[in-house]
Amino acid sequence: GAPLSHLSPPAPQATSSSCPAPAQLSGMAMPLRPFLLLVLFIGAAAIPVQNSQDGGEKSSQDSKFPVQTEWAKAETARWMVHMNTWGFLTQQGKATPLHVGTHSFADGAMGKSSGRIWFYLMGGLPESWDASLTMSQAALGNFSCDNTDPEDPRCAKLTVTGTIKKAVGSDVNIGKAALFARHPQMAHWPENHHFTVYELKISHIWMIDFYGGGGDISRWRYFLAKPNHNVPHFPPHKKTSEPEAEDSKAKIIAAPPPHDQVAARARWLVYHSVWATVGTISVHLNGKPWGNVRSVADGLGKNSTGLPYFYLPTPDPTTLDLRANNHIALAFSEAALVDRIDPKTGSNCGGMDAEDPTCARLTLYGSLREVNTYSAYPKTPNCEVRDIISGREVADFQL
């Protein structure tokens, strides 16, 4: 977490006359220093506290800045698991060191959260293996995060790590009931695909949902907590009201290219995605596969490059992993495109499940490199590189 002084916007800086000013950004401006600009190449002392509202505690030295309690974090983690219905599963790949894929899951029927994470996976898989499940509050829609950027700390990001194990005995029916309640289509998936119930046996939980940096949540507190989006409100801002359905219709992006135009569909998905999951070999978990939600862009309009760019804070676990091994798997899902949500039905992918083959998903493999100088990319003018990161309307971080 950055010091409190970093929460203030930096002084405006003049832009080069050879480059047009970037699009107007909303939200808070953050300093450039603690962040790294990367591109994917495919191929102290205790402070007394007092209780406050909104699941937070307030420092006696600064009564205006709330700090979350450990129980509030655990409640939000349970809320994330219960409200989300799909996420990105990071695991060791067969042909590559890592694989990240889109998978639907459930922890119980709506309103009956158990905290146990169930999957319905195609047959022919091992009895167990290590994996991490990553999910984002942004998957619940723009207004779940008050229109902030998916990488904004206040837009919750959760990664649950453990061992995926095949369900046995009574757990088969428990898991199936939870899955079918949240994913009715699963009951009609082809029998000859031999779908089987699996559970993620949780060993580690990491989450960021507020300022101050991400952190671990204990298993025992996670299972005892009740699902509740228990996050302080800071800085104060007016909650964005949802637009009328007629306004929403105009924001629906164009349909994807036909499924047989694979390359064009892949570029469509990368261009329209504003966040993805970066799969890495974890340093803090001693080599286990790990995933993290990061904002991403490959350009604007005709300046689309097909090369995903990231803006990573230096203390981020993903940055630490990349310093040890910069090879990643990067996953996108059409289910994450909130601008494709039908305003009448509230569904994406034509109402199909996120794991359905017709809901486009893509995994890129390659290495991330820090962009130290724009001159290293002669085919992309300086202003285009800058606008790749800052030009999205939903971007929150200013260069």
Side-chain angles (χ1 to χ4, degrees), residues 107-109 114 116 118 169-180 197:
D107 82 325
S114 68
R116 299 175 70 180
W118 304 98
S170 60
D171 279 349
V172 174
N173 290 331
I174 294 174
K176 190 174 289 188
L179 289 162
F180 288 7
V197 177

Side-chain angles (χ1 to χ4, degrees), residues 59-311:
S59 164
S60 61
Q61 296 183 7
D62 190 339
S63 60
K64 295 182 179 180
F65 187 76
V67 179
Q68 267 185 304
T69 66
E70 294 302 314
W71 277 110
K73 296 176 184 178
E75 289 176 358
T76 300
R78 283 291 299 273
W79 176 81
M80 284 281 288
V81 168
H82 191 54
M83 295 304 295
N84 276 284
T85 57
W86 66 273
F88 291 105
L89 203 60
T90 304
Q91 53 199 324
Q92 290 183 338
K94 294 181 179 179
T96 57
L98 284 170
H99 175 72
V100 185
T102 303
H103 286 278
S104 299
F105 67 89
D107 82 325
M110 181 58 73
K112 297 182 179 180
S113 168
S114 68
R116 299 175 70 180
I117 300 174
W118 304 98
F119 299 92
Y120 204 37
L121 304 179
M122 204 176 299
L125 298 174
E127 295 288 318
S128 65
W129 65 93
D130 291 337
S132 291
L133 175 65
T134 303
M135 62 196 78
S136 171
Q137 185 180 345
L140 304 178
N142 270 337
F143 293 94
S144 180
C145 293
D146 278 346
N147 269 351
T148 59
D149 191 87
E151 199 167 324
D152 188 295
R154 296 164 295 177
C155 190
K157 293 159 279 291
L158 175 71
T159 300
V160 183
T161 305
T163 302
I164 293 185
K165 291 188 175 182
K166 183 178 179 179
V168 296
S170 60
D171 279 349
V172 174
N173 290 331
I174 294 174
K176 190 174 289 188
L179 289 162
F180 288 7
R182 301 296 294 277
H183 304 273
Q185 293 176 27
M186 287 184 174
H188 307 286
W189 284 359
E191 292 184 4
N192 60 358
H193 284 42
H194 308 291
F195 284 95
T196 304
V197 177
Y198 282 80
E199 180 182 3
L200 177 60
K201 297 289 187 179
I202 300 172
S203 61
H204 181 266
I205 304 167
W206 182 93
M207 186 182 71
I208 181 169
D209 66 339
F210 193 61
Y211 298 115
D216 298 345
I217 297 172
S218 65
R219 290 178 65 255
W220 67 268
R221 187 176 274 118
Y222 166 83
F223 280 110
L224 285 177
K226 301 295 183 182
N228 181 25
H229 190 208
N230 199 347
V231 182
H233 295 291
F234 186 92
H237 65 285
K238 183 178 179 180
K239 185 176 178 64
T240 306
S241 60
E242 297 192 32
E244 297 295 330
E246 291 299 320
D247 295 333
S248 300
K249 290 180 182 179
K251 297 182 180 180
I252 298 178
I253 60 179
H259 67 86
D260 56 345
Q261 297 181 17
V262 180
R265 197 176 179 105
R267 284 292 298 271
W268 173 88
L269 182 55
V270 170
Y271 175 75
H272 288 291
S273 295
V274 295
W275 65 276
T277 286
V278 182
T280 57
I281 300 296
S282 174
V283 171
H284 69 290
L285 293 181
N286 301 315
K288 290 185 179 295
W290 200 73
N292 195 6
V293 171
R294 298 290 85 181
S295 295
V296 63
D298 83 323
L300 289 170
K302 294 181 180 180
N303 292 332
S304 171
T305 64
L307 294 175
Y309 284 78
F310 304 84
Y311 201 31

